[in-house]
Amino acid sequence: MNTPPPCPSCASAFTYEDGANFVCPECGHEWLQAAPIAEDAPARTVKDAFGTALTDGDSITIIKDLKVKGSSLVVKVGTKVRNIRLVDGDHDIDCKIDGIGAMGLKSEFVKKA
């Protein structure tokens, strides 16, 4: 069981919880319970093959011929892709390529346009 903190007004150790507040019975001071501050993980930055940071909605260009797994299609060098979306996982970028459809790309094979 957690013990409530001492009163910030009179330093009394007899404080208690009352709903979302702490209350001091000696001086009558009430204050909000401080919610534990969740530390956010640092935002992951996705960089293209040349070290330029990418963001959602950017346009990119493919820098290497990429075979489409499970198909005989190839995404050619110089193919421009608009409106990318950054995701977590093995492939950093979700996008839609004209003539091929939805794809996941690795950031190491693209450059920011």
Side-chain angles (χ1 to χ4, degrees):
M1 183 172 155
N2 293 338
T3 58
C7 176
S9 185
C10 69
S12 171
F14 300 112
T15 57
Y16 62 91
E17 293 182 32
D18 184 26
N21 293 331
F22 286 122
V23 179
C24 176
E26 292 184 3
C27 69
H29 182 70
E30 295 184 15
W31 67 99
L32 288 174
Q33 293 182 12
I37 299 172
E39 291 185 25
D40 294 332
R44 192 182 97 152
T45 57
V46 176
K47 296 184 179 185
D48 68 1
F50 301 103
T52 307
L54 298 171
T55 59
D56 286 340
D58 280 346
S59 294
I60 57 172
T61 304
I62 307 297
I63 62 168
K64 178 183 176 184
D65 283 346
L66 301 173
K67 295 179 183 177
V68 178
K69 197 172 197 175
S71 153
S72 62
L73 298 173
V74 175
V75 181
K76 296 286 189 182
V77 171
T79 302
K80 190 168 184 177
V81 180
R82 291 178 283 134
N83 200 18
I84 65 169
R85 189 177 57 153
L86 302 179
V87 294
D88 290 329
D90 186 31
H91 292 80
D92 303 323
I93 301 168
D94 276 347
C95 62
K96 187 183 265 187
I97 299 176
D98 293 335
I100 296 176
M103 279 191 74
L105 299 173
K106 291 187 177 184
S107 58
E108 62 196 68
F109 299 120
V110 302
K111 72 175 180 177
K112 189 170 183 175

